[in-house]
Amino acid sequence: MEFVDALINILNSTIRVSVPLLLACLAGLYSERSGVFDIGLEGKMLAGAFAGAAAAAVFASAWIGLLVAMLVSVGMALVHGFASITHRGNQIVSGVAINFIAAGSTIILGQAWFQQGGRTPSLPPEARFGAINLPGADALRDVPVIGQIYSGLLSGHSLLTYVAFLAVPFTWWVLFRTRFGLRLRAVGENPAAVDTAGISVAWLRYRAVICTGILTGMAGSYMALAQNAGFVKDMTAGRGYIALAALIFAKWRPVPAMFACLLFGFLDALAIRLQGTPLPVIGKVPVQFMQALPYVLTVILLAGFIGKAIPPRAGGVPYVKER
Amino acid sequence: MSTPYAKLPAWADYGLIPLINLLVAFAVAGLVVLLVGENPFRAAVILIEGAFGSGQGIAYTLYYATNFIFTGLAVAVAFHCGLFNIGGEGQAYIAGLGVGVVALTFDSVLPWWLTFPLAILAAALMGALWALIPAYLQAKRGSHIVITTIMFNFIAASVMVYMLVNVLKPVGAMAPQTRQFLEGAQLPRLGWLLTELGLKVRPSVPLNVSFLLALLMALLVWVLIWRTKLGYEIRTFGFSPKAARYAGISASRITIVTMLISGALAGMMALNPILGDQHNVPLDFVSGAGFVGIAVALMGRSHPAGIVLAAILFGMLYQGGAELSFEMPDISRDMIVIIQGLVILFAGALENMFRPTIQSIFASLSPRSVGIAATKGERA
């Protein structure tokens, strides 16, 4: 029983750390499928977290926090869109810029507005997304295995967690079962063909980056309003890049994206759990090794040793209409 | 990549447009200062005075600029080849390991002028090595160099934390850093140079001989890119990989060689803080210089002269920013990160934003200066 407990414990924390990865990863999926590379996920997430925490602290409402977070993230996504779609700038350069602007301004504005060394005030429970207990979770708690899984693993997460996991089938449906999704994928592979069909390439791509903004805003809100009670400087700590790695790992597909995020989340949870405890056979694993593992895995994948990850063909290339 | 823009006179292309982009970036940064509730003009005055108002300030400005010249050159060399080396941060960090090992081995045996060349070699070698793997993967296995170099930044950070905490830290010490180097691995400082010029400088300023190395490297990069066969091949490949292939230039060779040079340049950045200032290998000594290199290369238009100027500008921001945070406590060093981001945005991603406007101004003033008479439908 102790083993089941420990396992459920670690899977539970896997879910918790995977949620921001998953939301950011799906965010990147929309943008990159439309042919706009986005290494600014990190920055948008950070800005979203800060805006969400600041608004939630001022208005004492988690919902206003979420809304403001999404607005700010969408705003930054639109800057990326303006640079890379309208002005055909380099998408990587633009993404790097977004990351720096977010990293700097969250600290400066946080310090100026709240005077707490770049933190936002600690949020009261009503300004956060609290845990939701699924019906019957308490009653089933003592049922071995099934009850434990239900009440220990599936129940007791915040609203955004459930939204994140529901966003996976939703994204799949949007991409592969709607007209918008078909066009979105087409514009990432062959924008000239989409243009010939009389559809605006720019407007499609703008809609894609807006979707990215909404989802990164949610990812940031999750970190500031659900996982923690407020914003701490640099709180995304590279998760945007891990999400990017997960996106490549999943070969730009929604359901594998979820599994990739869960895998990277699991590694993270395991690293925290195993800190200092020796493993059989291998001995003590350095924390740093576990931390580096997602990146190493992504590099190995990219090298084509675990299948081949082929990005959308028009990704990173600004579209220039023939004249 | 096709350029859907007409030509401008060279001085407008290399002088006017970067200047306008820079001004817009600083104007937006001024808005942030305003949002914080301070006066942006006063902030600018404090910043410039802090950086250039005293010999001390100038020395620090040049010390920071040294880092950015190295990383800026690294990014620029890769740019010429059409590659985006975003991994300067990791390459410089790992190079610190090479510098550290050389310094720890020879600091009690050799004088500095023998340790220094060895350390340069070690730094360049480690930096190049850390760039080699992403380069190889891009050249031979088709994985995107931007993503792999980002991943390698994180891997480098983990490796260095592990090495410093578990291997290089002296037994019994608390801080995760190597022991203090002896005299044989301490670079001479250059404060006296400024004293000669009549400025007042305390002898403790960290400006050191690696600044001269950085200037030498800028010169060598210019020679490499514009005066050698290899540089010609690099530029050809960056301009048009297809044309390069027709000319018999091997894509994988040129990619790997360029990235090795780029990594080596980024690696040399480690010399400045480690041998020149700290005299040990601390955690996180790169502290963003690798990324500043991107802004510097973009602003300097990938030309060594431009890079040196842009690096001094960023050195000024770092040094002046430190002074600014004393005067205006709400504006910490992180303001520079914003400015850096804005410079990358306006000088890099949005470099073409003002081009159509400027073009039409030029075209209306003198159609010949634009090279073509604006034809129908050509106007952007």
Side-chain angles (χ1 to χ4, degrees):
Chain A
M1 268 314 84
E2 208 159 274
F3 174 72
V4 177
D5 269 346
L7 190 69
I8 285 182
N9 214 327
I10 201 161
L11 289 180
N12 192 18
S13 49
T14 300
I15 289 179
R16 278 170 211 282
V17 292
S18 301
V19 170
L21 295 182
L22 181 55
L23 285 166
C25 187
L26 292 175
L29 189 86
Y30 281 95
S31 176
E32 303 216 342
R33 273 284 178 150
S34 81
V36 179
F37 277 164
D38 194 351
I39 63 170
L41 293 174
E42 172 88 3
K44 286 197 274 284
M45 214 155 101
L46 191 66
F50 172 71
V58 172
F59 297 104
S61 153
W63 287 101
I64 294 182
L66 177 65
L67 191 73
V68 173
M70 291 202 288
L71 280 177
V72 167
S73 291
V74 169
M76 298 195 82
L78 286 176
V79 171
H80 183 56
F82 181 67
S84 52
I85 304 169
T86 305
H87 287 290
R88 308 183 195 107
N90 186 323
Q91 297 168 4
I92 311 269
V93 173
S94 165
V96 171
I98 298 277
N99 286 341
F100 284 125
I101 294 171
S105 50
T106 49
I107 300 176
I108 294 276
L109 294 179
Q111 170 63 18
W113 290 344
F114 301 105
Q115 306 288 350
Q116 296 185 7
R119 291 167 164 272
T120 60
S122 194
L123 295 171
E126 68 271 15
R128 296 179 59 197
F129 288 101
I132 296 174
N133 277 317
L134 294 183
D138 287 328
L140 288 171
R141 193 166 297 277
D142 295 328
V143 180
V145 188
I146 297 176
Q148 281 173 317
I149 290 177
Y150 183 72
S151 56
L153 190 58
L154 299 180
S155 170
H157 293 286
S158 79
L159 179 69
L160 290 173
T161 309
Y162 298 110
V163 170
F165 282 94
L166 288 177
V168 176
F170 179 73
T171 301
W172 176 84
W173 180 76
V174 168
L175 275 181
F176 297 100
R177 288 293 178 273
T178 66
R179 179 184 297 191
F180 170 66
L182 178 67
R183 290 174 173 179
L184 187 86
R185 284 181 292 133
V187 84
E189 297 290 337
N190 191 346
V194 175
D195 203 13
T196 315
I199 303 157
S200 162
V201 173
W203 171 226
L204 251 176
R205 287 188 169 168
Y206 265 112
R207 277 184 286 175
V209 298
I210 289 172
C211 294
T212 304
I214 293 173
L215 283 167
T216 43
M218 277 191 193
S221 307
Y222 175 83
M223 296 198 69
L225 304 180
Q227 206 173 18
N228 303 289
F231 177 85
V232 191
K233 73 177 183 181
D234 218 4
M235 79 185 302
T236 48
R239 281 184 184 78
Y241 295 110
I242 297 205
L244 202 63
L247 183 60
I248 297 164
F249 214 81
K251 299 171 188 170
W252 293 269
R253 289 172 302 170
V255 178
M258 179 180 78
F259 288 115
C261 290
L262 284 171
L263 171 69
F264 289 167
F266 179 72
L267 290 176
D268 199 7
L270 204 63
I272 298 165
R273 178 95 188 173
L274 290 182
Q275 213 154 16
T277 44
L279 284 181
V281 191
I282 329 168
K284 221 164 109 176
V285 180
V287 205
Q288 292 84 14
F289 177 76
M290 299 294 276
Q291 283 168 346
L293 204 52
Y295 305 112
V296 176
L297 283 178
T298 309
V299 170
I300 294 174
L301 171 91
L302 276 171
F305 295 121
I306 325 171
K308 192 129 182 77
I310 301 164
R313 195 178 309 150
V317 186
Y319 179 62
V320 182
K321 202 175 176 132
E322 298 284 337
R323 290 188 238 238
Chain B
M1 210 182 291
S2 58
T3 43
Y5 301 102
K7 264 184 108 87
L8 277 176
W11 68 270
D13 219 6
Y14 292 101
L16 187 64
I17 288 188
L19 190 71
I20 292 176
N21 289 334
L22 196 63
L23 285 180
V24 175
F26 277 98
V28 177
L31 285 183
V32 177
V33 175
L34 215 58
L35 212 58
V36 167
E38 296 278 5
N39 180 348
F41 295 103
R42 209 170 78 84
V45 170
I46 295 171
L47 201 126
I48 293 169
E49 261 182 17
F52 293 122
S54 65
Q56 194 76 5
I58 293 175
Y60 269 96
T61 299
L62 293 180
Y63 165 73
Y64 291 122
T66 310
N67 291 341
F68 308 146
I69 294 175
F70 284 124
T71 54
L73 288 173
V75 176
V77 168
F79 269 157
H80 278 293
C81 192
L83 297 167
F84 197 155
N85 178 14
I86 205 168
E89 188 81 8
Q91 288 144 16
Y93 205 3
I94 283 289
L97 200 61
V99 176
V101 168
V102 166
L104 291 173
T105 319
F106 297 109
D107 64 344
S108 56
V109 199
L110 298 178
W112 75 266
W113 44 272
L114 284 177
T115 319
F116 190 41
L118 287 174
I120 295 175
L121 276 183
L125 212 68
M126 290 301 280
L129 182 75
W130 208 245
L132 172 67
I133 306 164
Y136 172 81
L137 292 176
Q138 156 107 9
K140 300 279 186 189
R141 320 260 340 170
S143 46
H144 203 296
I145 201 148
V146 170
I147 305 290
T148 29
T149 46
I150 292 178
M151 300 299 138
F152 267 70
N153 283 343
F154 285 101
I155 299 172
S158 292
V159 170
M160 286 303 282
V161 172
Y162 177 79
M163 291 304 287
L164 287 173
V165 172
N166 299 342
V167 182
L168 293 173
K169 191 179 73 163
V171 181
M174 285 303 286
Q177 58 192 35
T178 62
R179 70 168 167 79
Q180 214 58 22
F181 302 150
L182 302 175
E183 214 148 282
Q186 302 186 3
L187 296 183
R189 304 183 184 247
L190 289 181
W192 59 269
L193 253 179
L194 295 171
T195 320
E196 293 284 301
L197 293 173
L199 294 162
K200 261 173 73 180
V201 178
R202 264 179 259 128
S204 63
V205 288
L207 179 65
N208 60 77
V209 288
S210 38
F211 175 63
L212 302 179
L213 179 72
L215 293 182
L216 178 70
M217 283 303 148
L219 183 71
L220 288 182
V221 165
W222 179 80
V223 171
L224 168 76
I225 297 288
W226 280 281
R227 288 293 178 272
T228 66
K229 181 163 168 272
L230 178 64
Y232 183 73
E233 289 179 353
I234 289 175
R235 282 183 296 138
T236 310
F237 187 78
F239 197 70
S240 164
K242 252 187 206 154
R245 206 164 52 234
Y246 276 115
I249 297 168
S250 152
S252 48
R253 187 185 75 96
I254 206 80
T255 304
I256 291 176
V257 169
T258 309
M259 279 302 285
L260 286 178
I261 297 170
S262 175
L265 285 166
M268 284 183 213
M269 174 261 154
L271 299 163
N272 188 39
I274 291 178
L275 297 186
D277 181 31
Q278 305 266 335
H279 305 313
N280 63 46
V281 184
L283 268 188
D284 204 23
F285 64 85
V286 188
S287 59
F291 296 120
V292 178
I294 301 168
V296 166
L298 284 169
M299 233 174 79
R301 299 235 133 193
S302 302
H303 191 287
I307 287 167
V308 171
L309 288 180
I312 291 175
L313 180 88
F314 269 95
M316 175 198 102
L317 290 176
Y318 263 65
Q319 164 55 17
E323 297 289 318
L324 189 60
S325 56
F326 281 123
E327 297 278 327
M328 298 180 175
D330 273 352
I331 301 179
S332 58
R333 280 290 263 296
D334 300 290
M335 190 69 209
I336 300 158
V337 181
I338 303 183
I339 297 178
Q340 186 185 329
L342 290 168
V343 167
I344 295 176
L345 184 68
F346 285 102
L350 283 172
E351 63 169 342
N352 292 328
M353 183 158 68
F354 300 103
R355 197 174 280 264
T357 324
I358 293 170
Q359 254 158 17
S360 46
I361 293 173
F362 268 87
S364 64
L365 290 178
S366 99
R368 254 185 307 162
S369 73
V370 192
I372 43 137
T375 47
K376 251 186 293 170
E378 186 59 48
R379 292 172 58 90

